[in-house]
Amino acid sequence: MSETQNSPQGPAPDPAAGATVLLVADPGLPTHRARSIEDSLQQHLDEVYDPPIRLQVRTSMLRLRPDGTLDLSEVLEQARSSGDPDAVLLLTEIPRLRDGRPLIAEIFPEHNIAVISCPTLGVLTTRRRILDALMRCTLRMAPTSESLDASRYARRWARWEELTGPDDHQLLLGSRVIGGARTVAGMVAGNEPLRTAPKLSSALAAAAATGAFGIFYSSIWSMSMHLTTQRLLLIGILAIGAITAWLIVGNRLWDAPRYERLARVVLLYNLSTVLTLLMIVALLYVCLVVLIFTSALIVIAPDYLAEVIGGEPVLARYLDIAWLSAAMGVVAGALGSSFDKDTDMRSLTHGQRERQRRFTEEEVGQ
């Protein structure tokens, strides 16, 4: 369907009464993004509809049924309490797929509800992409009486498809390959690795304490002297990879699909978990290298270092010591986090946050 076509599912807003749009966002990053574009969205809506429409922004978690399908009952209740708006937009962090392709947005014409998946929009120019997706959905649910070129909100990598029959929905789908990579990147951003890294403060403390031994043990100095740059890099990479695997296994962060149709989505969950933890552990490693390198410059006298290693005490030697010591420290830090009851790793992943959305079978039956 062309972007310039108006959707037939709803009448144009009454020019005398205006119209109302309700934007409901998941807690966390979706709400932050919704608030960041609220003024811009209002401006675009004012340009499209006359008189200007009223925009309401709320925060509420989109719930899931036990089989993983969307439960819109709470959203419908919010819509009724808001005076039955002309368009209801749900901005969620749930990654959604349709036949292996990222499902960017889905319109439910029977309720005038559109569900927009944040992760499918990636991490680059996200605010603009969210704004475009919201406007495209709004124009289809509440088409204007005047001719409007909606192509300015279109993206080359996304196109609309229609489902006919009992599931008469409109789907905005991304590309299969590039869209999948974009979705994983969006999920990693949703995990907010930079903001969640401080949750491993106990691991950093244990890593720093262990890594500090490298400053005081001359055997570490000598070992680093005889290791090539390539081997040192390999040691660092192996340490980061091994500890990432340890954290995933030790905290049971690897998800298994309960339903075969959700296997692809669960794969995205697992990929985003691995990448998120790799970023956190790599950040921990870099922090340790900087900390140990600075401490080594203060503690180890250049003359003494030259005497031990039998070479020039250049900065590269201090960096080698810091790099090797950090590898030991990262291992100790990850082990320490496994025994820290205050370190909640599971809340960092999409899989765990999805479980918080699910109604149990008992709740559904009530």
Side-chain angles (χ1 to χ4, degrees):
M1 178 180 291
S2 170
E3 286 294 334
T4 58
Q5 288 181 303
N6 288 328
S7 172
Q9 64 240 24
D14 182 359
T20 301
V21 170
L22 174 62
L23 173 58
V24 182
D26 275 342
L29 189 60
T31 291
H32 174 73
R33 287 175 170 170
R35 293 296 181 183
S36 70
I37 66 168
E38 183 176 359
D39 292 339
S40 297
L41 180 59
Q42 181 70 67
Q43 180 180 350
H44 280 265
L45 292 171
D46 289 345
E47 293 174 358
V48 169
Y49 297 98
D50 186 26
I53 71 171
R54 185 163 62 102
L55 173 65
Q56 302 179 49
V57 180
R58 295 186 180 181
T59 298
S60 180
M61 180 176 288
L62 177 60
R63 300 295 297 269
L64 296 173
R65 300 188 182 94
D67 62 356
T69 57
L70 300 179
D71 186 285
L72 301 178
S73 57
E74 291 187 11
V75 178
L76 291 172
E77 182 63 32
Q78 290 205 28
R80 283 190 289 269
S81 66
S82 300
D84 292 323
D86 298 272
V88 179
L89 305 169
L90 301 182
L91 191 61
T92 179
E93 69 167 353
I94 301 175
R96 307 186 67 207
L97 296 178
R98 178 81 182 188
D99 297 329
R101 297 173 59 190
L103 179 53
I104 300 170
E106 181 176 12
I107 294 178
F108 299 84
E110 66 273 22
H111 301 304
N112 264 6
I113 290 178
V115 179
I116 297 92
S117 173
C118 259
T120 59
L121 298 172
V123 294
L124 300 177
T125 62
T126 308
R127 292 178 71 255
R128 181 64 196 180
R129 290 176 179 178
I130 292 176
L131 182 61
D132 288 346
L134 294 175
M135 286 301 301
R136 293 168 80 178
C137 292
T138 302
L139 286 169
R140 285 177 170 268
M141 290 187 290
T144 60
S145 57
E146 299 178 359
S147 175
L148 176 69
D149 182 14
S151 61
R152 60 175 171 159
Y153 300 116
R155 292 278 175 171
R156 290 179 300 174
W157 41 266
R159 62 184 179 87
W160 287 99
E161 288 188 5
E162 299 243 10
L163 289 180
T164 57
D167 295 327
D168 186 15
H169 297 167
Q170 295 189 44
L171 309 177
L172 181 60
L173 299 170
S175 60
R176 192 179 299 271
V177 178
I178 302 300
R182 184 184 295 113
T183 301
V184 172
M187 293 174 69
V188 173
N191 289 336
E192 299 183 282
L194 295 180
R195 184 171 295 182
T196 55
K199 292 186 177 182
L200 288 177
S201 57
S202 60
L204 178 60
T210 304
F213 280 101
I215 300 176
F216 300 100
Y217 280 86
S218 58
S219 58
I220 300 296
W221 310 354
S222 301
M223 185 181 299
S224 65
M225 176 68 179
H226 293 284
L227 292 173
T228 64
T229 300
Q230 293 81 359
R231 189 176 291 272
L232 284 169
L233 288 173
L234 180 60
I235 290 173
I237 293 172
L238 289 177
I240 292 172
I243 299 315
T244 298
W246 171 271
L247 291 173
I248 291 174
V249 173
N251 293 278
R252 299 187 299 279
L253 300 180
W254 191 265
D255 293 302
R258 296 177 57 188
Y259 302 94
E260 185 177 354
R261 62 183 175 81
L262 298 178
R264 289 181 179 270
V265 176
V266 173
L267 175 61
L268 297 182
Y269 286 162
N270 290 329
L271 287 175
S272 67
T273 296
V274 171
L275 291 176
T276 300
L277 286 176
L278 280 174
M279 290 181 63
I280 293 175
V281 175
L283 178 62
L284 173 64
Y285 193 95
V286 171
C287 290
L288 276 178
V289 170
V290 173
L291 178 63
I292 297 173
F293 176 76
T294 303
S295 301
L297 288 175
I298 297 173
V299 173
I300 305 174
D303 293 341
Y304 184 55
L305 177 61
E307 179 182 341
V308 172
I309 65 176
E312 290 294 326
V314 296
L315 287 179
R317 299 284 76 81
Y318 286 93
L319 182 58
D320 291 344
I321 294 172
W323 187 270
L324 187 59
S325 300
M328 297 189 307
V330 165
V331 174
L335 293 175
S337 70
S338 299
F339 299 98
D340 186 355
K341 296 181 180 179
D342 295 329
T343 303
D344 182 14
M345 295 291 296
R346 297 183 63 81
S347 62
L348 306 184
T349 66
H350 268 80
Q352 175 63 14
R353 294 198 296 276
E354 181 186 304
R355 294 185 186 93
Q356 297 172 358
R357 300 175 181 274
R358 290 182 183 273
F359 288 106
T360 63
E361 299 286 356
E362 291 77 10
E363 290 176 316
V364 173
Q366 290 177 354

